[in-house]
Amino acid sequence: MATNDRPARLALTAAVLVLLLGGAGVLVQHRFSASASPAGTVAGIEVDAPAGTRVSVRPAPEPAVAPLTRRIGGGADLAFDGPGPVRVRIAVPAAPPAGFAPVVIGGRTLVPAVYDAGSIVADLARGGPFWGGLLDFAALGREVRPEPAARPACTGRSAGSDGVVIALGDPAPAAPLVPCVTAGGGRASVTLTSNARVPYRITPPRGWPDPAARMTTTGQPSGRPRQRDLLWPGGAVTYDVPFGRLPGTLRGQAEPGPAIGTALAAATHRLAALFGMTDAAGPAPEVVACAADAGAAHFSADRPEAAVWAALPACHPAGGDVVRRFLAPGIGPVTGGLAAGPAFEVPVTTSRAERFTQTVEYRPRATTTRAAGTCGAVSAVTGRHDAYRCTSAGTTYDPCFAVPGTRVVCPVSAVKAVLLTYTAGLPAPPEPGGTAEVFLLTLADGRQCAAVADAARFACADGTVLSGALDTSGPLWTIGGLTVAKAYT
């Protein structure tokens, strides 16, 4: 025999809504079955209101798409005179798919709802336009999960100092941490920038400084110091260590728990804001820090989201029990991709660079002094075809290099030169292909020494005279037992 189970289903729905939304008192049902109109619809809308409350609905324009939602079912413009809230039932063609939860879209806010036997059911505390909708938990997750940071421009570059070259392995594009290195004064500064969605715990080699003293706070929850030894998404850490303490490999491990905790705290706050329960821009710092701690303490690989979610109420996230019951079915999509992260490992190569004397062809550049004189001969210290020996006010300059016009540039050091204007023309230049001998040295200690004409020696700026031939038999040239850093020809 057929039976009417609608009263029983209404009682069950009322019980569910009491748990989710609170009680609404004794309700009287109003059914509205007017046909759809271009301006809106009231078809398939039922309203249950407290006894004595007058209810009316009329077609309403379809609302703009609310954040993180999509429209489903009908809607109307609701008005009621008397105590509220009123309970609305919106007929929908199918149950919400996995990863979605029913809501009622009302103005700029959402109202949490439940699905019952072909309808979205919710309690509305005030009148106005409303429509059925579905909230996308995966879209909520994309909004609260951190994005990977941009790769630093220094990635893949080596660094050197004091004859030591340091190279870090060039990581893959999807590497969780991106390394960079600089060097100077016998020390290397190794910076690791997080390109991950979860925090990482760096394993510092023996003798390296405590990362808690070096870790930047970018991307890190403020509050409790327990999480400060983690490198958070978008953050960076720099270690400054002597060359001798550089390891063969830098390593780190993902710590998903704190990321799951902070993502869930951010998601509860976002829902509380969408439900009109908070005006704050984001969760309080102490809530985020507590959520990170809860994630670190309760994360387990077999129950990554559930274990952290169970510990989150102690942090008092926004929205209370209403948001917690609404979000519970969606914690998987919200935290998708945060349950694991690849291990970080990058090789460190330290090598000795072969030192050599740099040879430089001198090119006339900016001058520091002007003079007038004559150039009576080609240079006696170099066979360059543009080099001359010139005199001004009793001072001889050799070499001087011809430039356009009636002028020559006479270097007196690697960075200083005299611009000399000659009056009697230039002698015939040397034959092309002449030998461009070294005429200026920069020693390893910084001293500069110029070649002396008609003598196998160099006179240095401090008065020292270096005699003997320039030894060019090895990569590092020497003269008089001193190392030559640069030789100008």
Side-chain angles (χ1 to χ4, degrees), residues 41-383:
T41 182
V42 292
I45 302 296
E46 296 182 6
V47 179
D48 298 337
T53 298
R54 292 182 299 176
V55 177
S56 66
V57 296
R58 59 183 179 180
E62 187 168 341
V65 177
L68 310 177
T69 65
R70 70 187 192 191
R71 277 264 297 104
I72 187 173
D77 190 349
L78 171 70
F80 60 89
D81 180 12
V86 299
R87 184 164 296 163
V88 298
R89 299 177 62 89
I90 305 170
V92 293
F100 290 82
V103 293
V104 169
I105 303 171
R108 296 184 177 181
T109 61
L110 305 180
V111 179
V114 296
Y115 175 78
D116 173 61
S119 296
I120 289 176
V121 185
D123 281 354
L124 303 184
R126 60 179 64 88
F130 69 90
W131 289 78
L134 297 176
L135 185 134
D136 185 348
F137 285 126
L140 175 62
R142 289 191 295 271
E143 192 172 283
V144 300
R145 294 192 300 265
E147 290 296 324
R151 289 167 66 91
C154 57
T155 304
R157 296 178 184 173
S158 60
S161 175
D162 302 323
V164 176
V165 176
I166 303 158
L168 305 181
D170 192 6
L177 303 182
V178 180
C180 289
V181 62
T182 59
R187 303 181 70 86
S189 291
V190 178
T191 299
L192 302 175
T193 301
S194 173
N195 190 44
R197 294 181 182 274
V198 300
Y200 267 72
R201 189 178 304 279
I202 309 302
T203 306
R206 186 183 303 275
W208 278 36
D210 181 359
R214 292 282 181 180
M215 195 72 67
T216 64
T217 57
T218 304
Q220 173 187 310
S222 59
R224 305 182 183 183
R226 184 181 184 281
Q227 299 302 323
R228 291 181 183 163
D229 58 348
L230 296 180
L231 179 53
W232 284 81
V237 58
T238 298
Y239 296 94
D240 184 52
V241 295
F243 289 159
R245 290 187 178 176
L246 286 171
T249 306
L250 292 174
R251 293 183 173 87
Q253 292 291 333
E255 293 281 347
I260 291 175
T262 54
L264 290 173
T268 59
H269 186 91
R270 181 70 172 110
L271 287 175
L274 290 172
F275 294 160
M277 304 170 75
T278 179
D279 294 327
E286 59 271 19
V287 172
V288 178
C290 175
D293 282 347
H298 297 279
F299 172 81
S300 63
D302 57 334
R303 300 175 63 241
E305 302 91 4
V308 178
W309 177 246
L312 202 62
C315 300
H316 306 292
D321 289 341
V322 171
V323 170
R324 181 168 179 82
R325 280 190 286 266
F326 182 88
L327 181 56
I331 60 173
V334 166
T335 60
L338 297 182
F344 167 75
E345 186 170 298
V346 63
V348 180
T349 303
T350 304
S351 59
R352 284 279 173 184
E354 183 181 18
R355 299 178 63 192
F356 59 90
T357 296
Q358 183 180 1
T359 57
V360 181
E361 182 180 2
Y362 182 83
R363 295 294 183 187
R365 291 185 175 86
T367 56
T368 55
T369 307
R370 294 177 180 269
T374 60
C375 299
V378 296
S379 173
V381 298
T382 177

Side-chain angles (χ1 to χ4, degrees), residues 368-413:
T368 55
T369 307
R370 294 177 180 269
T374 60
C375 299
V378 296
S379 173
V381 298
T382 177
R384 276 179 51 166
H385 72 281
D386 59 345
Y388 298 89
R389 183 180 180 89
C390 305
T391 303
S392 174
T395 301
T396 299
Y397 299 99
D398 190 2
C400 293
F401 299 98
V403 294
T406 57
R407 297 176 299 178
V408 291
V409 173
C410 309
V412 294
S413 74

Side-chain angles (χ1 to χ4, degrees), residues 362 368 410-418 439-442 448-450 461 488:
Y362 182 83
T368 55
C410 309
V412 294
S413 74
V415 294
K416 295 181 180 181
V418 175
F439 70 90
L440 181 65
L441 303 176
T442 298
Q448 295 196 347
C449 309
Y488 293 85

